[in-house]
Amino acid sequence: METKLQKYHKETGIKQAFIAQKVNLTPGAYSKIVRGESMPTLPVAIKIARSLNATVESLWGDLVE
C-alpha cells in the first residue's frame, strides 16, 4: 500500500534524498519513513512536513486516533 509520503513524492517530483538532506536524516532513514517502516519523532515530522510545504496532519493524520 502506498503511503501518503510516497504519493506526495510521486506527485511533486521532489526527490527523497533532497528532503532527507534538508531535515538532516540519512537517505536510508528517510526512505524507511516514506515506506511506512519507521515513524519519525514529532520534531522530525514537523521538519519533513515544512520541507514539503504540507502539514503533519496531511501526511500522518490517518494514523492518529
Side-chain angles (χ1 to χ4, degrees):
M1 184 169 152
E2 186 176 60
T3 67
K4 289 183 180 183
L5 274 175
Q6 287 171 323
K7 185 177 179 181
Y8 195 90
H9 280 287
K10 283 182 185 178
E11 289 176 355
T12 63
I14 298 172
K15 301 291 183 193
Q16 289 184 26
F18 174 76
I19 299 300
Q21 182 179 15
K22 234 178 148 171
V23 300
N24 200 28
L25 290 173
T26 65
Y30 184 68
S31 181
K32 282 185 167 188
I33 293 169
V34 170
R35 291 190 311 265
E37 296 174 7
S38 177
M39 285 296 293
T41 62
L42 183 56
V44 171
I46 291 168
K47 287 180 185 179
I48 292 169
R50 287 182 179 164
S51 295
L52 294 171
N53 199 27
T55 64
V56 172
E57 293 84 2
S58 69
L59 298 174
W60 290 282
D62 61 333
L63 300 176
V64 179
E65 293 184 15

